[in-house]
Amino acid sequence: LPDGVNISKEARSAISRAASVFVLYATSCANNFAMKGKRKTLNAGDVLSAMEEMEFQRFIAPLKESLEVYRREQKGKKEARKDKDKKADSEEQDKSREEENDDDDERMEEEEQNEEEEVDN
């Protein structure tokens, strides 16, 4: 809202109800498109088609832009998770190698001690 604008409680309530009705109507229209496609899940295409059917074409371009931004963010998060998982796997492998080397060192020391004991006997 612009600076200096005050809204009464009644107006807030009316805007809230109007937004709820709009969302319900848009969801109903989008659901019709999903049902035509023999699907139970709404997708972004259904919502965009609903906006067009409801004659809210001016919302389509901003919605598409927002959808693209969202998808890029999700892709970035997914790639970051993959990188993190790869790094964790790499660190686990390094730890395993270190533990194996430590175990080998301990076995060698035990063998050397056993050989020294056998020589002493």
Side-chain angles (χ1 to χ4, degrees), residues 8-39:
S8 71
K9 289 182 183 180
E10 291 174 355
R12 285 180 193 222
S13 178
I15 291 170
S16 177
R17 286 187 203 140
S20 293
V21 169
F22 176 78
V23 170
L24 288 172
Y25 181 56
T27 302
S28 177
C29 288
N31 189 49
N32 290 338
F33 283 101
M35 287 173 37
K36 286 178 186 175
K38 298 180 182 177
R39 293 177 282 109

Side-chain angles (χ1 to χ4, degrees), residues 30-92:
N31 189 49
N32 290 338
F33 283 101
M35 287 173 37
K36 286 178 186 175
K38 298 180 182 177
R39 293 177 282 109
K40 292 183 179 181
T41 304
L42 301 179
N43 61 33
D46 298 329
V47 174
L48 294 171
S49 296
M51 289 294 121
E52 190 171 333
E53 183 176 294
M54 295 166 43
E55 298 182 6
F56 281 96
Q57 287 86 358
R58 66 173 185 249
F59 288 176
I60 294 174
L63 283 173
K64 283 182 179 180
E65 290 173 15
S66 296
L67 180 62
E68 287 302 315
V69 168
Y70 172 78
R71 287 179 175 165
R72 281 193 300 265
E73 287 174 358
Q74 293 303 309
K75 187 177 180 180
K77 287 179 183 179
K78 187 176 181 180
E79 289 174 359
R81 254 186 263 127
K82 282 183 182 178
D83 291 344
K84 185 178 178 182
D85 289 346
K86 284 181 184 178
K87 185 177 178 183
D89 288 345
S90 161
E91 289 175 358
E92 286 179 19

Side-chain angles (χ1 to χ4, degrees), residues 102-114:
D102 290 345
D103 290 345
D104 289 345
D105 290 345
E106 288 176 12
R107 276 190 234 116
M108 288 179 68
E109 288 176 10
E110 287 176 8
E111 288 175 6
E112 288 175 2
Q113 287 177 354
N114 289 339

